[in-house]
Amino acid sequence: MTPDRMLMAFGDKALRRIEYPDGRDFMKTSLLMLKRDLRNKSPQVRRSVLGTLAKLMAGHESKRKAFRESTGFHPPILMVISPTMRCNLDCYGCYAGKYNGRRDLGLDTLNRLLREAEEMGVYFMVISGGEPFILGDELLSVIERHRSILFQVYTNGTLIDRDVARRLARAGNIIPCISVEGFKEETDARRGDGTYEKVLHTMELLREEGVIFGFSATATRENNELIVSDEFIDFYRDRGCIVGWYFHYVPVGREPGIELMPTPEQRIYRRDALVRRRARYDILLADFWNDGPLVGGCLAGGRYLHVNTNGDVEPCVFAHFAVDNVKDKSLKEILESPFFSEIRRRQPYDANLFRPCMIIDVPEVLREVVSSCGAAPTHEGAEAVIDDWAGSLDDYSESYRELADTLWRDYKGL
């Protein structure tokens, strides 16, 4: 089937009436956005994205069914792998800033992990870091060998030139998501002078070559309102972004600080602003913390996981603790481990799915599972989130709970 016929097959009739007042019709809005934008992309990009979407919507797919029958739980929806922590920038507050930046995961190990993921029926893979494109041809060559997987790559965008953009268009299965903090002032302040202009140039190249791409924004106390404004979303949509990922700053990594976290009131503001804008924009806007109700709460510990550059398998990109390493065990063995099993057993951690996170919403959960399962910090200082910051995170979670419970009652119509 041609890419254009695949687009038509996703049902114009089902998309004629879009209702997205509060984020519940997430899939219909996603499909509308894809039908709007994919016609302008390279044939390889359209074929890869639509093929992956078809697999994700087919819950009975044989590999995933076989995994579920053998283990008693579903395989991951996605995985995050950081093949390197090397980076050409030096951003303050980087969640990965304390990992060993001199050691790469190794492309042989990466290739093996991708094969294991394919065997489980995992069709969506996130590549993070560090700056993944610092690995250049070696990384792209591995990704290009795994055509059944759609890759999203978090990147600072400064290493993508015309040749790389053309290669991404030919591959078709790579979606760059470029980090921004706002506009020029905010982005250059965190990422270095000149970064903003390089990012805009990269977006222009990707658009010209027919590559799907998006933005990634970390909400802090300083930029929370800006990055959900009409001005911000309009600007990056007009640059060609079809997706925007929002992260709530968590005090992990380089020079962590509670004072950078958005306040509970700011978090509610961000959620409300994105809900309103989703009703008007044909860009997919997702907030990993505020969209808990859309995915049933936390995904950590099995529905998703993070393999860091040392091979340690962490339950979450922001929970820097591990028991097992992929150099010693298979992914299936690690998913069946007591550490991951205990996390899954506790999910959801709270009946209120606007409080999905075991780091900042129900922080006692992370402390308890780390202690009971003997999980070790995966870099120096990682333990601060359960030691040094424990009191502050308890205070934050309690302050946010009062607001979130009201939001949850309204959301459920209680």
Side-chain angles (χ1 to χ4, degrees):
M1 183 182 294
T2 67
D4 286 336
R5 288 186 178 275
M6 290 175 72
L7 272 174
M8 295 177 65
F10 277 102
D12 287 318
K13 185 180 294 185
L15 295 170
R16 284 176 187 161
R17 185 166 178 264
I18 299 297
E19 297 178 357
Y20 204 161
D22 62 359
R24 291 172 184 171
D25 286 336
F26 192 75
M27 180 58 74
K28 284 200 287 186
T29 296
S30 303
L31 290 174
L32 180 68
M33 175 269 298
L34 286 172
K35 288 173 74 70
R36 184 267 298 178
D37 200 82
L38 278 182
R39 297 187 191 278
N40 301 319
K41 303 309 177 188
S42 74
Q44 296 91 336
V45 167
R46 284 182 283 168
R47 186 174 293 108
S48 179
V49 171
L50 290 170
T52 301
L53 184 60
K55 293 172 188 173
L56 291 173
M57 295 176 71
H60 62 280
E61 201 278 332
S62 59
K63 291 181 180 179
R64 298 184 65 82
K65 182 179 179 181
F67 183 95
R68 183 174 67 252
E69 290 176 347
S70 68
T71 64
F73 59 90
H74 293 274
I77 300 169
L78 63 95
M79 289 169 44
V80 182
I81 302 177
S82 295
T84 184
M85 289 303 174
R86 289 183 285 146
C87 187
N88 59 318
L89 300 183
D90 188 26
C91 309
Y92 72 81
C94 175
Y95 86 95
K98 293 299 289 292
Y99 287 108
N100 187 335
R102 298 181 298 276
R103 180 190 301 123
D104 291 344
L105 178 64
L107 297 179
D108 288 342
T109 301
L110 174 60
N111 196 51
R112 176 176 64 80
L113 290 174
L114 296 178
R115 288 198 304 269
E116 289 186 34
E118 288 173 304
E119 291 169 2
M120 291 189 291
V122 179
Y123 303 115
F124 186 55
M125 190 71 56
V126 176
I127 302 296
S128 189
E131 171 48 50
F133 286 105
I134 209 167
L135 294 172
D137 176 73
E138 292 179 317
L139 175 64
L140 293 176
S141 295
V142 171
I143 289 176
E144 288 166 346
R145 289 202 295 270
H146 296 271
R147 298 288 184 176
S148 70
I149 297 176
L150 182 64
F151 292 84
Q152 179 177 284
V153 181
Y154 285 115
T155 172
N156 61 44
T158 62
L159 299 180
I160 300 176
D161 58 17
R162 175 75 67 180
D163 288 341
V164 172
R166 286 176 175 166
R167 187 166 179 180
L168 298 181
R170 289 195 303 270
N173 64 333
I174 306 171
I175 302 175
C177 283
I178 302 172
S179 299
V180 294
E181 313 303 325
F183 298 112
K184 179 177 175 60
E185 178 182 353
E186 297 81 15
T187 299
D188 283 0
R190 186 181 186 202
R191 299 184 176 272
D193 291 342
T195 302
Y196 179 73
E197 293 302 327
K198 291 179 181 178
V199 163
L200 296 189
H201 179 61
T202 293
M203 289 184 176
E204 181 179 355
L205 293 176
L206 293 171
R207 188 172 191 174
E208 290 174 354
E209 297 299 331
V211 178
I212 284 182
F213 65 94
F215 70 80
S216 167
T218 298
T220 68
R221 199 165 299 187
E222 299 167 352
N223 71 349
N224 185 80
E225 289 72 28
L226 173 63
I227 61 177
V228 294
S229 66
D230 287 328
E231 179 187 16
F232 177 89
I233 297 171
D234 274 335
F235 181 84
Y236 286 105
R237 181 200 178 278
D238 290 346
R239 303 286 79 73
C241 293
I242 72 165
V243 60
W245 297 112
Y246 288 85
F247 296 89
H248 187 100
Y249 173 80
V250 176
V252 297
R254 180 179 293 124
E255 299 179 5
I258 291 289
E259 68 280 357
L260 279 177
M261 289 179 64
T263 65
E265 291 78 12
Q266 285 182 305
R267 181 171 170 183
I268 296 294
Y269 176 92
R270 188 174 75 247
R271 189 263 170 189
D272 290 344
L274 287 177
V275 166
R276 292 194 303 273
R277 283 151 181 76
R278 281 169 175 162
R280 302 199 306 272
Y281 286 97
D282 50 359
I283 176 174
L284 177 61
L285 304 170
D287 186 322
F288 279 89
W289 278 258
N290 285 329
D291 284 335
L294 297 181
V295 294
C298 178
L299 301 179
R303 288 198 288 166
Y304 117 98
L305 53 83
H306 177 224
V307 181
N308 68 28
T309 190
N310 191 49
D312 299 318
V313 185
E314 301 165 338
C316 166
V317 170
F318 300 96
H320 298 176
F321 299 89
V323 172
D324 295 307
N325 190 290
V326 296
K327 297 173 184 177
D328 304 318
K329 295 183 179 180
S330 69
L331 284 172
K332 183 174 182 290
E333 289 175 306
I334 294 171
L335 285 165
E336 293 178 306
S337 70
F339 185 37
F340 276 47
S341 297
E342 179 63 12
I343 292 172
R344 289 195 302 271
R345 186 187 69 79
R346 291 170 175 258
Q347 292 169 344
Y349 314 123
D350 190 275
N352 181 348
L353 297 183
F354 285 118
R355 301 181 64 227
C357 180
M358 65 174 174
I359 307 173
I360 65 173
D361 293 331
V362 197
E364 62 271 21
V365 170
L366 179 61
R367 296 195 287 263
E368 289 169 3
V369 296
V370 165
S371 175
S372 64
C373 298
T378 52
H379 60 73
E380 181 182 359
E383 66 278 4
V385 76
I386 61 174
D387 294 338
D388 299 349
W389 301 117
S392 297
L393 288 174
D394 285 343
D395 291 342
Y396 171 89
S397 66
E398 181 60 26
S399 297
Y400 175 66
R401 182 188 63 78
E402 298 175 5
L403 299 175
D405 283 352
T406 299
L407 182 63
W408 183 245
R409 287 193 293 270
D410 292 343
Y411 183 84
K412 298 291 286 184
L414 300 177

